[in-house]
Coordinates of all heavy atoms in Angstrom, one line a residue:
M23 N 93.7 -7.3 122.2 CA 93.4 -6.3 123.2 C 92.5 -5.2 122.6 O 92.8 -4.7 121.5 CB 94.7 -5.6 123.7 CG 94.4 -4.6 124.9 SD 96.0 -4.5 125.7 CE 96.2 -2.7 125.9
A24 N 91.5 -4.8 123.3 CA 90.5 -3.7 122.7 C 91.2 -2.4 122.6 O 92.0 -2.0 123.4 CB 89.4 -3.7 123.6
K25 N 90.7 -1.7 121.6 CA 91.3 -0.3 121.4 C 90.7 0.5 122.5 O 89.5 0.5 122.8 CB 90.6 0.1 120.0 CG 91.1 1.5 119.6 CD 90.4 1.8 118.3 CE 90.3 3.3 118.1 NZ 89.5 3.6 117.0
P26 N 91.6 1.3 123.1 CA 91.1 2.3 124.2 C 90.0 3.3 123.8 O 90.0 3.7 122.6 CB 92.3 2.9 124.7 CG 93.4 2.7 123.7 CD 92.9 1.6 122.8
R27 N 89.0 3.5 124.7 CA 88.0 4.5 124.4 C 88.8 5.9 124.5 O 89.5 6.2 125.4 CB 87.0 4.6 125.5 CG 85.9 3.5 125.3 CD 84.8 3.6 126.3 NE 84.7 4.8 127.2 CZ 84.7 4.7 128.6 NH1 84.6 3.5 129.2 NH2 84.6 5.7 129.4
R28 N 88.5 6.7 123.4 CA 89.0 8.0 123.4 C 88.1 8.9 123.9 O 86.9 9.1 123.4 CB 89.5 8.4 122.0 CG 90.6 7.6 121.5 CD 91.0 7.9 120.0 NE 91.5 9.4 120.0 CZ 91.1 10.2 119.1 NH1 90.3 9.8 118.1 NH2 91.6 11.4 119.1
I29 N 88.5 9.7 125.1 CA 87.5 10.7 125.7 C 88.1 12.0 125.6 O 89.2 12.3 126.0 CB 87.1 10.2 127.1 CG1 86.5 8.9 127.1 CG2 86.3 11.2 127.8 CD1 86.3 8.4 128.6
L30 N 87.4 12.9 125.1 CA 87.8 14.3 125.0 C 87.1 15.1 126.1 O 85.9 15.1 126.4 CB 87.4 15.0 123.7 CG 87.8 16.5 123.5 CD1 89.4 16.5 123.5 CD2 87.2 17.0 122.2
I31 N 88.0 15.7 126.9 CA 87.4 16.7 127.9 C 87.6 18.1 127.4 O 88.7 18.5 127.1 CB 88.3 16.5 129.3 CG1 88.2 15.0 129.8 CG2 87.8 17.6 130.4 CD1 88.9 14.8 131.0
G32 N 86.4 18.8 127.2 CA 86.4 20.1 126.7 C 86.0 21.1 127.6 O 85.1 21.0 128.4
T33 N 86.8 22.2 127.6 CA 86.5 23.4 128.5 C 86.4 24.6 127.7 O 87.4 25.2 127.0 CB 87.7 23.5 129.5 OG1 87.8 22.4 130.3 CG2 87.4 24.8 130.4
P34 N 85.1 25.1 127.6 CA 84.9 26.5 127.0 C 85.4 27.6 127.9 O 85.2 27.5 129.1 CB 83.5 26.5 126.7 CG 82.8 25.5 127.7 CD 83.9 24.5 128.1
L35 N 86.1 28.4 127.3 CA 86.9 29.3 128.2 C 86.5 30.8 127.9 O 86.4 31.3 126.8 CB 88.4 29.2 128.0 CG 89.3 30.0 128.9 CD1 89.1 29.5 130.4 CD2 90.8 29.7 128.6
K36 N 86.3 31.5 129.0 CA 86.1 33.0 129.0 C 86.8 33.4 130.3 O 86.5 33.1 131.4 CB 84.5 33.3 129.1 CG 84.4 34.7 128.8 CD 84.0 34.9 127.3 CE 83.5 36.3 127.1 NZ 83.9 36.8 125.7
G37 N 88.0 34.0 130.0 CA 88.9 34.5 131.3 C 89.9 33.4 131.6 O 90.1 32.5 130.8
D38 N 90.6 33.6 132.7 CA 91.7 32.8 133.1 C 91.2 31.5 133.6 O 90.2 31.3 134.2 CB 92.6 33.5 134.1 CG 93.3 34.7 133.5 OD1 93.5 34.7 132.3 OD2 93.6 35.7 134.2
L39 N 92.2 30.5 133.6 CA 91.9 29.2 134.2 C 92.5 29.2 135.6 O 93.6 29.6 135.9 CB 92.6 28.0 133.4 CG 92.0 27.6 132.2 CD1 92.9 26.7 131.4 CD2 90.6 27.0 132.4
P40 N 91.6 28.8 136.6 CA 92.2 28.7 138.0 C 93.2 27.6 138.2 O 93.2 26.7 137.5 CB 90.9 28.5 138.7 CG 90.0 28.0 137.9 CD 90.4 28.4 136.5
A41 N 94.1 27.8 139.2 CA 95.0 26.8 139.5 C 94.5 25.4 139.9 O 95.0 24.4 139.5 CB 95.9 27.3 140.8
A42 N 93.2 25.5 140.4 CA 92.6 24.2 140.8 C 92.3 23.4 139.5 O 92.4 22.1 139.5 CB 91.3 24.4 141.6
Y43 N 92.0 24.0 138.4 CA 91.7 23.3 137.1 C 93.0 22.6 136.7 O 93.0 21.5 136.4 CB 91.3 24.3 136.1 CG 91.1 23.7 134.7 CD1 89.8 23.4 134.4 CD2 92.1 23.4 133.8 CE1 89.5 22.8 133.1 CE2 91.8 22.9 132.6 CZ 90.5 22.5 132.2 OH 90.3 22.0 131.0
F44 N 94.2 23.2 136.8 CA 95.4 22.6 136.3 C 95.8 21.5 137.3 O 96.2 20.4 136.8 CB 96.5 23.7 136.3 CG 96.4 24.6 135.1 CD1 96.1 25.9 135.3 CD2 96.6 24.1 133.8 CE1 95.9 26.8 134.2 CE2 96.5 25.0 132.7 CZ 96.2 26.3 132.9
K45 N 95.5 21.7 138.6 CA 95.9 20.6 139.5 C 95.1 19.4 139.2 O 95.6 18.2 139.2 CB 95.6 21.1 140.9 CG 95.9 20.0 142.0 CD 95.6 20.5 143.4 CE 95.8 19.5 144.4 NZ 95.3 19.8 145.7
T46 N 93.8 19.5 139.1 CA 92.9 18.4 138.8 C 93.3 17.8 137.4 O 93.3 16.5 137.2 CB 91.6 18.8 138.7 OG1 91.2 19.4 140.0 CG2 90.5 17.7 138.4
S47 N 93.6 18.5 136.4 CA 94.0 18.1 135.0 C 95.2 17.1 135.1 O 95.2 16.1 134.5 CB 94.2 19.3 134.0 OG 93.2 20.0 133.9
L48 N 96.2 17.6 135.9 CA 97.4 16.8 136.1 C 97.1 15.5 136.8 O 97.6 14.5 136.4 CB 98.4 17.7 136.9 CG 99.8 17.0 137.1 CD1 100.5 16.8 135.8 CD2 100.7 17.9 138.0
Q49 N 96.2 15.5 137.8 CA 95.9 14.3 138.5 C 95.2 13.3 137.6 O 95.5 12.2 137.5 CB 94.9 14.6 139.7 CG 95.6 15.3 140.8 CD 94.6 15.8 141.8 OE1 93.4 16.0 141.6 NE2 95.1 16.0 143.1
M50 N 94.4 13.8 136.7 CA 93.6 13.0 135.7 C 94.6 12.4 134.7 O 94.4 11.3 134.3 CB 92.4 13.7 135.2 CG 91.3 14.0 136.2 SD 90.0 15.0 135.5 CE 89.6 14.1 134.2
A51 N 95.5 13.4 134.2 CA 96.4 13.0 133.1 C 97.3 11.8 133.5 O 97.7 11.0 132.7 CB 97.1 14.1 132.6
T52 N 97.6 11.9 134.9 CA 98.6 10.9 135.3 C 97.9 9.6 135.9 O 98.6 8.7 136.2 CB 99.5 11.4 136.4 OG1 98.7 12.0 137.5 CG2 100.4 12.5 135.8
A53 N 96.6 9.7 135.9 CA 95.8 8.5 136.4 C 95.9 7.3 135.4 O 95.8 7.6 134.2 CB 94.4 8.8 136.8
A54 N 96.1 6.2 135.8 CA 96.0 5.0 135.0 C 94.5 4.5 134.9 O 94.0 3.9 136.0 CB 96.9 4.0 135.5
I55 N 93.9 4.7 133.8 CA 92.4 4.3 133.6 C 92.5 3.1 132.6 O 92.8 3.5 131.4 CB 91.5 5.3 133.1 CG1 91.7 6.6 134.1 CG2 90.1 4.9 133.1 CD1 91.1 7.9 133.5
P56 N 92.2 1.9 133.0 CA 92.3 0.8 131.9 C 91.3 1.1 130.8 O 90.3 1.5 131.0 CB 91.8 -0.4 132.8 CG 91.9 0.0 134.2 CD 91.8 1.5 134.3
N57 N 91.9 1.0 129.6 CA 91.3 1.0 128.3 C 90.6 2.4 128.0 O 89.6 2.5 127.4 CB 90.1 -0.1 128.3 CG 90.3 -0.8 127.0 OD1 91.3 -0.7 126.2 ND2 89.3 -1.5 126.7
V58 N 91.2 3.5 128.5 CA 90.7 4.8 128.4 C 92.0 5.7 128.1 O 92.9 5.7 128.7 CB 89.9 5.3 129.6 CG1 89.6 6.9 129.4 CG2 88.7 4.6 129.7
K59 N 91.8 6.5 127.0 CA 92.8 7.6 126.6 C 92.0 8.9 126.8 O 91.1 9.2 126.1 CB 93.3 7.3 125.3 CG 94.3 8.5 125.0 CD 95.0 8.2 123.6 CE 96.0 9.3 123.2 NZ 95.9 10.6 123.6
L60 N 92.5 9.8 127.6 CA 92.1 11.1 127.8 C 92.8 12.1 127.0 O 94.0 12.1 127.0 CB 92.1 11.5 129.4 CG 91.3 10.7 130.3 CD1 91.5 11.2 131.7 CD2 89.7 10.7 130.0
D61 N 92.0 13.1 126.5 CA 92.6 14.2 125.8 C 91.7 15.5 126.3 O 90.7 15.3 126.5 CB 92.5 14.0 124.3 CG 93.5 13.1 123.7 OD1 94.7 13.4 123.8 OD2 93.1 12.1 123.1
W62 N 92.4 16.6 126.1 CA 91.9 17.8 126.5 C 91.9 18.8 125.4 O 92.7 18.9 124.5 CB 92.7 18.5 127.6 CG 92.3 18.0 129.0 CD1 91.5 18.5 129.9 CD2 92.9 16.8 129.6 NE1 91.5 17.8 131.1 CE2 92.3 16.7 130.9 CE3 93.8 15.8 129.2 CZ2 92.6 15.7 131.8 CZ3 94.1 14.8 130.0 CH2 93.5 14.8 131.3
V63 N 90.8 19.7 125.4 CA 90.9 20.9 124.5 C 90.2 22.0 125.3 O 89.2 21.9 126.0 CB 90.0 20.6 123.2 CG1 88.6 20.4 123.5 CG2 90.2 21.9 122.3
I64 N 91.0 23.1 125.4 CA 90.6 24.4 126.0 C 90.4 25.4 124.8 O 91.3 25.7 124.1 CB 91.6 24.8 127.0 CG1 91.7 23.8 128.2 CG2 91.2 26.1 127.7 CD1 92.9 24.0 129.1
L65 N 89.2 25.9 124.8 CA 88.9 26.7 123.7 C 88.3 28.1 124.1 O 87.2 28.1 124.8 CB 87.9 26.1 122.7 CG 87.7 26.8 121.3 CD1 89.0 27.0 120.5 CD2 86.7 26.1 120.5
E66 N 88.9 29.2 123.8 CA 88.4 30.4 124.1 C 87.6 31.0 123.0 O 87.9 30.8 121.8 CB 89.6 31.5 124.5 CG 89.1 32.8 125.0 CD 90.3 33.5 125.5 OE1 91.4 33.2 125.3 OE2 90.0 34.6 126.2
G67 N 86.5 31.6 123.2 CA 85.6 32.1 122.1 C 84.9 33.4 122.7 O 85.0 33.7 123.8
P68 N 84.3 34.0 121.7 CA 83.5 35.2 122.0 C 82.5 35.0 123.1 O 82.0 35.9 123.8 CB 83.1 35.8 120.7 CG 83.0 34.6 119.8 CD 84.1 33.6 120.4
A69 N 81.9 33.7 123.0 CA 80.8 33.3 123.9 C 81.1 31.8 124.2 O 81.4 31.1 123.4 CB 79.5 33.5 123.3
V70 N 80.8 31.4 125.6 CA 80.9 30.1 125.9 C 80.1 29.1 125.0 O 80.7 28.0 124.5 CB 80.5 29.9 127.4 CG1 80.5 28.4 127.8 CG2 81.5 30.7 128.2
Q71 N 78.9 29.5 124.6 CA 78.2 28.5 123.8 C 78.8 28.4 122.5 O 78.6 27.2 121.9 CB 76.7 29.0 123.8 CG 76.4 30.3 123.1 CD 76.5 31.5 124.1 OE1 77.1 31.4 125.2 NE2 75.7 32.5 123.9
M72 N 79.4 29.4 121.9 CA 80.0 29.2 120.6 C 81.3 28.3 120.7 O 81.5 27.4 119.9 CB 80.5 30.6 120.0 CG 79.3 31.4 119.6 SD 79.7 33.0 119.0 CE 80.4 32.6 117.5
A73 N 82.0 28.4 121.8 CA 83.2 27.6 122.1 C 82.7 26.1 122.3 O 83.3 25.2 121.7 CB 83.9 28.1 123.3
R74 N 81.6 25.9 122.9 CA 81.2 24.6 123.2 C 80.7 24.0 121.7 O 81.1 22.8 121.4 CB 79.8 24.6 123.9 CG 80.0 24.7 125.4 CD 78.7 24.5 126.1 NE 78.7 25.1 127.5 CZ 79.4 24.4 128.5 NH1 80.0 23.3 128.3 NH2 79.3 25.0 129.6
N75 N 80.1 24.7 120.9 CA 79.9 24.2 119.5 C 81.1 23.9 118.7 O 81.1 22.8 118.1 CB 79.0 25.2 118.7 CG 77.7 25.4 119.2 OD1 77.1 24.5 119.9 ND2 77.0 26.5 118.8
E76 N 82.2 24.6 118.8 CA 83.4 24.4 118.2 C 84.1 23.1 118.9 O 84.7 22.3 118.1 CB 84.4 25.5 118.2 CG 83.9 26.7 117.4 CD 84.8 27.8 117.4 OE1 86.0 27.6 117.4 OE2 84.4 29.0 117.4
I77 N 84.0 22.9 120.0 CA 84.5 21.6 120.8 C 83.8 20.4 120.2 O 84.4 19.5 120.0 CB 84.5 21.9 122.2 CG1 85.5 23.0 122.7 CG2 84.8 20.5 123.0 CD1 85.3 23.3 124.2
V78 N 82.5 20.5 120.1 CA 81.7 19.4 119.6 C 82.2 19.0 118.1 O 82.3 17.9 117.9 CB 80.2 19.8 119.6 CG1 79.4 18.6 118.9 CG2 79.7 19.8 121.1
A79 N 82.3 20.1 117.4 CA 82.8 19.9 116.0 C 84.1 19.2 115.9 O 84.4 18.3 115.2 CB 82.7 21.2 115.2
Y80 N 85.0 19.6 116.8 CA 86.4 19.0 116.9 C 86.3 17.6 117.3 O 87.0 16.8 116.7 CB 87.2 19.8 117.9 CG 88.6 19.3 118.1 CD1 89.6 19.3 117.2 CD2 88.8 18.6 119.3 CE1 90.9 18.7 117.4 CE2 90.0 18.0 119.6 CZ 91.1 18.1 118.6 OH 92.3 17.4 118.8
A81 N 85.4 17.3 118.3 CA 85.3 15.9 118.8 C 84.8 15.0 117.7 O 85.2 13.9 117.6 CB 84.4 15.8 120.1
R82 N 83.8 15.4 117.0 CA 83.3 14.7 115.9 C 84.3 14.4 114.8 O 84.4 13.5 114.3 CB 82.1 15.3 115.3 CG 80.9 15.3 116.3 CD 79.7 15.9 115.8 NE 79.2 15.3 114.6 CZ 78.0 14.8 114.3 NH1 77.1 15.0 115.2 NH2 77.7 14.1 113.2
Q83 N 85.0 15.6 114.4 CA 86.1 15.5 113.4 C 87.2 14.5 113.7 O 87.6 13.7 112.9 CB 86.6 16.9 113.1 CG 87.7 16.9 112.1 CD 88.4 18.4 112.1 OE1 87.8 19.3 112.2 NE2 89.7 18.3 112.0
E84 N 87.6 14.6 114.9 CA 88.6 13.6 115.4 C 88.2 12.3 115.9 O 89.0 11.5 116.3 CB 89.5 14.4 116.5 CG 90.2 15.6 116.1 CD 91.1 15.5 114.9 OE1 91.9 14.5 115.0 OE2 91.1 16.3 113.9
K85 N 86.9 12.0 115.7 CA 86.3 10.7 116.0 C 86.5 10.3 117.4 O 86.9 9.0 117.6 CB 86.8 9.7 115.0 CG 86.4 10.1 113.6 CD 86.7 9.0 112.6 CE 86.3 9.2 111.2 NZ 86.0 10.4 110.6
F86 N 86.4 11.1 118.4 CA 86.4 10.7 119.9 C 85.2 9.9 120.1 O 84.1 10.1 119.5 CB 86.5 12.0 120.7 CG 87.7 12.6 120.8 CD1 88.2 13.6 120.0 CD2 88.6 12.1 121.8 CE1 89.5 14.2 120.0 CE2 89.9 12.7 121.9 CZ 90.4 13.6 121.1
D87 N 85.3 9.0 121.1 CA 84.2 8.1 121.4 C 83.3 8.8 122.4 O 82.1 8.5 122.2 CB 84.7 6.9 122.2 CG 85.6 6.0 121.3 OD1 85.2 5.7 120.1 OD2 86.7 5.7 121.7
E88 N 83.8 9.8 123.2 CA 83.0 10.5 124.1 C 83.5 11.9 124.3 O 84.7 12.1 124.1 CB 83.0 9.8 125.4 CG 82.3 8.4 125.4 CD 82.3 7.6 126.7 OE1 82.0 8.2 127.7 OE2 82.7 6.5 126.7
L89 N 82.6 12.8 124.7 CA 82.9 14.2 125.0 C 82.3 14.5 126.4 O 81.2 14.3 126.7 CB 82.4 15.0 124.0 CG 82.5 16.6 124.2 CD1 83.9 17.0 124.4 CD2 81.8 17.4 123.2
L90 N 83.2 15.0 127.3 CA 82.9 15.4 128.5 C 83.2 17.0 128.6 O 84.3 17.3 128.5 CB 83.5 14.6 129.6 CG 83.4 15.0 131.1 CD1 82.0 14.8 131.5 CD2 84.4 14.3 131.9
F91 N 82.2 17.8 128.9 CA 82.4 19.2 129.2 C 82.8 19.4 130.6 O 82.2 18.9 131.5 CB 81.2 20.0 128.8 CG 81.1 20.3 127.3 CD1 80.1 19.7 126.6 CD2 82.0 21.1 126.7 CE1 79.9 20.0 125.3 CE2 81.9 21.4 125.4 CZ 80.9 20.8 124.6
W92 N 83.9 20.1 130.9 CA 84.3 20.4 132.3 C 84.6 21.9 132.3 O 85.6 22.3 131.9 CB 85.6 19.6 132.6 CG 86.2 20.0 133.9 CD1 85.6 20.5 135.0 CD2 87.5 19.7 134.2 NE1 86.4 20.7 135.9 CE2 87.7 20.2 135.6 CE3 88.6 19.3 133.6 CZ2 88.8 20.2 136.2 CZ3 89.7 19.2 134.2 CH2 89.9 19.7 135.6
D93 N 83.6 22.7 132.8 CA 83.8 24.1 132.9 C 84.8 24.4 134.0 O 85.0 23.7 134.9 CB 82.5 24.8 133.3 CG 81.5 24.7 132.1 OD1 81.8 24.2 131.0 OD2 80.3 25.2 132.3
K94 N 85.6 25.5 133.7 CA 86.7 25.9 134.6 C 86.3 26.1 136.1 O 87.2 26.0 136.9 CB 87.4 27.1 134.0 CG 86.5 28.3 134.1 CD 87.4 29.6 133.6 CE 86.5 30.8 133.9 NZ 87.3 31.9 133.6
D95 N 85.1 26.4 136.3 CA 84.6 26.7 137.6 C 84.0 25.6 138.4 O 83.4 25.7 139.5 CB 83.7 28.0 137.7 CG 82.5 27.8 136.8 OD1 82.4 26.9 136.1 OD2 81.6 28.6 137.0
V96 N 84.0 24.5 137.7 CA 83.3 23.3 138.4 C 84.3 22.6 139.3 O 85.3 22.0 138.8 CB 82.8 22.3 137.3 CG1 82.2 21.1 137.9 CG2 81.7 22.9 136.5
L97 N 84.1 22.5 140.6 CA 84.9 21.9 141.5 C 84.0 21.1 142.5 O 83.0 21.4 142.8 CB 85.7 23.0 142.4 CG 86.7 23.8 141.6 CD1 87.3 24.8 142.5 CD2 87.8 22.9 141.0
A98 N 84.5 20.0 142.9 CA 83.8 19.0 143.9 C 84.6 19.1 145.1 O 85.8 18.9 145.0 CB 83.7 17.8 143.3
Q99 N 84.1 19.4 146.2 CA 84.7 19.3 147.5 C 84.0 18.5 148.5 O 82.7 18.4 148.5 CB 84.9 20.7 148.1 CG 85.8 21.6 147.3 CD 86.1 22.8 148.1 OE1 85.5 23.2 149.0 NE2 87.3 23.4 147.6
R100 N 84.8 17.8 149.3 CA 84.2 16.9 150.4 C 84.9 17.2 151.6 O 86.2 17.0 151.7 CB 84.3 15.4 150.0 CG 83.7 14.5 151.0 CD 83.8 13.1 150.7 NE 83.4 12.7 149.4 CZ 84.2 11.9 148.7 NH1 85.3 11.4 149.1 NH2 83.8 11.6 147.5
G101 N 84.4 17.7 152.6 CA 85.1 18.1 153.8 C 86.2 19.0 153.7 O 87.2 19.0 154.4
G102 N 85.9 20.1 152.8 CA 86.9 21.0 152.5 C 88.1 20.6 151.5 O 88.9 21.4 151.2
E103 N 88.1 19.3 151.2 CA 89.2 18.8 150.3 C 88.6 18.8 148.9 O 87.6 18.3 148.6 CB 89.4 17.4 150.7 CG 90.5 16.7 149.9 CD 90.7 15.2 150.3 OE1 90.2 14.8 151.3 OE2 91.4 14.5 149.5
D104 N 89.5 19.1 147.9 CA 89.1 19.1 146.5 C 89.3 17.7 146.0 O 90.2 17.0 146.0 CB 90.2 19.9 145.7 CG 89.8 20.0 144.3 OD1 88.9 19.3 143.8 OD2 90.6 20.8 143.5
V105 N 88.1 17.2 145.5 CA 87.9 15.8 145.1 C 87.4 15.8 143.6 O 86.8 14.9 143.2 CB 87.0 14.9 146.0 CG1 87.6 14.7 147.3 CG2 85.7 15.5 146.1
T106 N 87.8 16.9 142.8 CA 87.3 17.1 141.5 C 87.7 15.9 140.6 O 86.9 15.4 139.9 CB 87.7 18.5 141.0 OG1 87.2 19.5 141.9 CG2 87.0 18.7 139.6
S107 N 89.0 15.7 140.7 CA 89.5 14.6 139.8 C 88.8 13.3 139.9 O 88.4 12.6 139.0 CB 91.0 14.4 139.9 OG 91.4 14.0 141.1
S108 N 88.5 12.8 141.3 CA 87.8 11.6 141.5 C 86.4 11.7 141.0 O 85.8 10.7 140.6 CB 88.0 11.1 143.0 OG 87.4 12.1 143.8
A109 N 85.7 12.8 141.2 CA 84.4 13.0 140.8 C 84.3 12.9 139.2 O 83.4 12.1 138.7 CB 83.8 14.3 141.1
I110 N 85.2 13.4 138.5 CA 85.3 13.3 137.0 C 85.5 11.9 136.6 O 84.9 11.3 135.6 CB 86.3 14.3 136.4 CG1 85.7 15.8 136.7 CG2 86.4 14.1 134.9 CD1 86.7 16.8 136.3
M111 N 86.4 11.2 137.3 CA 86.8 9.8 137.0 C 85.5 8.9 137.2 O 85.3 8.0 136.4 CB 87.9 9.3 137.9 CG 89.1 9.9 137.7 SD 89.8 9.6 136.1 CE 91.4 10.2 136.3
R112 N 84.7 9.2 138.2 CA 83.5 8.5 138.3 C 82.5 8.8 137.2 O 81.8 7.7 136.8 CB 82.7 8.8 139.6 CG 83.4 8.1 140.9 CD 82.6 8.1 142.1 NE 82.3 9.5 142.5 CZ 83.1 10.2 143.3 NH1 84.2 9.7 143.8 NH2 82.8 11.5 143.8
L113 N 82.5 9.9 136.7 CA 81.7 10.2 135.4 C 82.2 9.4 134.2 O 81.4 8.9 133.5 CB 81.7 11.7 135.1 CG 80.9 12.7 135.9 CD1 81.2 14.1 135.6 CD2 79.4 12.4 135.8
I114 N 83.4 9.3 134.1 CA 84.0 8.5 133.0 C 83.7 7.1 133.2 O 83.3 6.4 132.2 CB 85.6 8.7 132.9 CG1 85.8 10.3 132.5 CG2 86.2 7.8 132.0 CD1 87.2 10.7 132.6

């Protein structure tokens, strides 16, 4: 059996995380994605761009196969319904 792809979802943070972020994270964490292991890192920094650089360094150090940035304010809606988790799954 092939080793699962390790994907890091990184969120650079300035301020609080909205409830929609946690709801989507939970949906994604409980989803069964064949041959994929998802991990998260939320990093607060003095500036978002500095936090992004640190997330990249962490992903490289921990030898993740892929890195996906997901900003806290990125939401996908269709017909007023939050479909962020399925949109992110399609990206993966």
Side-chain angles (χ1 to χ4, degrees):
M23 187 156 129
K25 181 178 154 190
R27 279 185 7 230
R28 293 180 62 223
I29 299 175
L30 180 65
I31 298 174
T33 301
L35 186 60
K36 194 90 169 147
D38 295 333
L39 285 171
Y43 180 97
F44 288 109
K45 179 182 175 189
T46 300
S47 298
L48 183 59
Q49 289 171 339
M50 292 174 57
T52 58
I55 310 169
N57 229 14
V58 171
K59 181 181 182 320
L60 297 177
D61 284 299
W62 277 262
V63 63
I64 299 170
L65 186 62
E66 188 170 13
V70 169
Q71 60 270 30
M72 291 175 73
R74 283 189 196 283
N75 289 343
E76 290 184 39
I77 291 170
V78 169
Y80 174 75
R82 291 179 63 127
Q83 174 186 324
E84 297 299 317
K85 297 183 175 28
F86 279 91
D87 298 308
E88 297 176 44
L89 169 61
L90 174 71
F91 280 111
W92 172 25
D93 290 356
K94 68 177 187 171
D95 60 347
V96 173
L97 296 175
Q99 291 195 343
R100 184 184 310 135
E103 178 187 352
D104 183 358
V105 293
T106 306
S107 61
S108 61
I110 294 173
M111 293 298 187
R112 282 194 299 273
L113 283 173
I114 291 170

